[in-house]
Amino acid sequence: MLEVEEQDKFGDHLFASGHTACPGCGQSLAARLVLRAAGRNVIVVNSTGCLEVFSSKYPESAWEVPWLHSLFENTAAVAAGIEAALKINGQLDKVRVIAQGGDGSTADIGLGAISGMFERGHDVLYICYDNEAYMNTGIQRSGLTPYYARTTTSPPGRVSMGNWRPKKDVPQIAVAHEIPYVATASVGYHLDLDRKIRRALSIRGPKYMQIHVPCPLGWGSDPAHTIDIARLAVNTGLYPLYEVEEGETKVQKIPRKVPVEEYLKLQTRFRHLFGKNGGKKELEEIQRIADRNIEKYGLIGK
Amino acid sequence: MKITLGTVTHPGGSRVNKTGSWRTAGKPHFLHQRCIACDLCALSCPEGCIFGTGQKTYYANEDYCKGCGICANVCPVEDIEMVSEEDEHG
Ligand SMILES: Cc1ncc(C[n+]2csc(CCOP(=O)(O)OP(=O)(O)O)c2C)c(N)n1
Ligand SMILES: [Mg+2]
């Protein structure tokens, strides 16, 4: 076994081992892949949430780059302030600013600050790690929780089949701000993720990226299946991968349509849809969402 | 230790946490038979504790491996298997 110092020769570990994420955590993997693509010359601002907590157990840090914990709601505002300070000091050409947070932080409480950052045109890449609920506080529903998922605040039972509101389309909200770059990505497709991070950081101005990251604990999935599940979300059409640059949309095609059941049945958060008390109507509805995405983004074909 | 407002810590200081002690369901055993050095195991490891420099050189640092099993699952040539902690060959 090599010593820690020797391992570092292999290079790309700007997000160190010893962090305290659950086994199989998609978000911890995505964070490491993001930094691998971004390199050392970054300042990262992180909102409150799992990533912040499992990477900064007092008095330690898993980060090998300058990293600040903001609040739950103001990550984009703090990053915007850092960018403004770098700009006035003439240092913005030397370092890139990344703001990052979970789906709750992004789609719900921090959305206003993000919109403001986009509107003012700050040169910041905002990254949302989308695990589809407030995981750090115990799996509460967020604006990015998909239809019919069980969370602790959307429990299925006699009067409910789980989350009854649609997943908020934050990437398209970002597009509506006419910022230069918006992309969705998945921890299941690391090459695509790597390319999009590099592309985003090569562009000046506000950028938005949303990365789908399975959460074994919150989704009730096997930690060993984190990558498979992330890929299934893409290949069912439920998580379309695309990028919008200067208003033009490019998509990552899927080879063939996979029925949504293949994805849903691997997660206990959807188990109630497969029970004897129905779920057929809800499954059809989820399939329709996937079909609509396939249609809308042209995910199949050349 | 003096506690001030906010905290500044050592980069990568998390390495003092030997999260390998968390393993409950086995650890990866790298067979080194069919490895094609695609690097997918290392790139898919949430702990960043898999290393290799070429074919049949990959290994997991067991000080940090939490035994999630992703590496064995993504290996395209089935050259990694999960074995029980007691297995001396593991
Ligand atoms: C203003 C405020 N409200 C509530 C909280 C409690 N809180 C901490 S993390 C969190 C949920 C984070 O969810 P998300 O942003 O999706 O990140 P995840 O933990 O899922 O990665 C909440 C509600 C807080 N820290 N600050
Ligand atoms: Mg979340």
Side-chain angles (χ1 to χ4, degrees):
Chain A
M1 186 119 335
L2 298 177
E3 292 305 315
V4 163
E5 283 74 12
E6 240 183 293
Q7 287 174 9
D8 274 358
K9 281 197 221 146
F10 293 116
D12 44 35
H13 286 44
L14 298 176
F15 185 69
S17 303
H19 63 75
T20 55
C22 304
C25 167
Q27 185 167 209
S28 62
L29 173 57
R32 192 162 61 78
L33 294 173
V34 163
L35 273 197
R36 184 172 178 273
R40 274 187 192 280
N41 292 330
V42 291
I43 296 175
V44 180
V45 187
N46 212 131
S47 80
T48 311
C50 280
L51 177 57
E52 168 261 322
V53 169
F54 67 62
S55 66
S56 65
K57 179 168 76 70
Y58 182 79
E60 297 138 20
S61 169
W63 303 93
E64 296 273 2
V65 297
W67 178 88
L68 289 90
H69 171 215
S70 60
L71 298 174
F72 190 26
E73 60 274 33
N74 67 351
T75 319
V78 173
I82 291 172
E83 184 258 11
L86 288 168
K87 198 170 173 182
I88 206 105
N89 290 324
Q91 291 180 311
L92 200 51
D93 53 338
K94 297 198 195 89
V95 59
R96 318 308 328 266
V97 182
I98 293 177
Q100 58 185 17
D103 50 289
S105 153
T106 303
D108 301 340
I109 197 168
L111 193 61
I114 295 169
S115 177
M117 183 200 94
F118 289 165
E119 188 180 328
R120 295 187 303 270
H122 292 283
D123 187 15
V124 171
L125 168 60
Y126 188 97
I127 299 172
C128 168
Y129 295 90
D130 182 10
N131 56 19
E132 307 193 315
Y134 293 62
M135 297 310 180
N136 186 54
T137 40
I139 324 171
Q140 291 86 18
R141 179 207 170 276
S142 85
L144 292 192
T145 302
Y147 259 128
Y148 303 120
R150 180 191 66 205
T151 68
T152 50
T153 51
S154 62
R158 256 186 331 218
V159 296
S160 165
M161 285 303 268
N163 179 45
W164 60 285
R165 295 295 298 153
K167 188 178 174 79
K168 195 186 291 185
D169 199 347
V170 180
Q172 290 301 328
I173 293 175
V175 168
H177 286 75
E178 298 192 15
I179 58 176
Y181 189 79
V182 175
T184 60
S186 165
V187 76
Y189 289 98
H190 66 89
L191 287 175
D192 182 70
L193 171 61
D194 189 87
R195 184 183 61 76
K196 284 170 176 165
I197 293 288
R198 287 173 203 268
R199 182 76 197 136
L201 289 175
S202 74
I203 295 168
R204 293 284 159 172
K207 283 88 56 178
Y208 179 77
M209 250 180 94
Q210 186 169 302
I211 308 173
H212 199 220
V213 289
C215 167
L217 185 79
W219 296 10
S221 58
D222 182 341
H225 287 158
T226 293
I227 301 275
D228 307 341
I229 288 175
R231 289 180 185 168
L232 277 168
V234 173
N235 289 317
T236 50
L238 286 173
Y239 217 94
L241 298 189
Y242 62 86
E243 57 201 312
V244 184
E245 205 175 320
E246 302 294 352
E248 203 188 311
T249 304
K250 272 185 271 173
V251 304
Q252 191 197 310
K253 302 277 183 182
I254 58 180
R256 68 182 172 86
K257 185 168 102 179
V258 177
V260 294
E261 283 89 347
E262 306 269 306
Y263 168 67
L264 304 173
K265 73 183 180 205
L266 296 175
Q267 310 168 49
T268 61
R269 65 176 172 155
F270 295 112
R271 188 165 53 193
H272 55 285
L273 303 180
F274 297 95
K276 59 179 183 321
N277 295 331
K280 195 168 168 288
K281 188 171 107 324
E282 287 76 16
L283 286 173
E284 281 168 11
E285 223 174 299
I286 296 174
Q287 186 62 59
R288 269 201 298 280
I289 295 171
D291 292 346
R292 260 205 310 276
N293 284 337
I294 291 171
E295 175 81 29
K296 177 174 169 193
Y297 292 103
L299 298 177
I300 293 175
K302 65 170 180 54
Chain B
M1 185 183 299
K2 188 166 158 271
I3 298 179
T4 48
L5 187 64
T7 311
V8 178
T9 62
H10 185 71
S14 62
R15 289 192 177 95
V16 300
N17 297 318
K18 300 290 161 75
T19 51
S21 67
W22 294 18
R23 284 196 305 276
T24 54
K27 60 186 179 184
H29 172 44
F30 292 73
L31 300 171
H32 291 174
Q33 286 165 6
R34 296 178 287 271
C35 173
I36 52 171
C38 67
D39 214 37
L40 204 54
C41 53
L43 281 166
S44 305
C45 173
E47 310 316 317
C49 73
I50 296 179
F51 301 94
T53 46
Q55 276 181 21
K56 306 179 188 178
T57 61
Y58 285 79
Y59 67 92
N61 183 340
E62 292 178 13
D63 277 350
Y64 300 111
C65 171
K66 293 172 188 162
C68 69
I70 289 179
C71 53
N73 214 45
V74 295
C75 178
V77 291
E78 294 177 25
D79 203 36
I80 307 170
E81 61 186 26
M82 297 303 284
V83 295
S84 83
E85 229 38 75
E86 289 75 36
D87 188 337
E88 276 306 308
H89 305 289

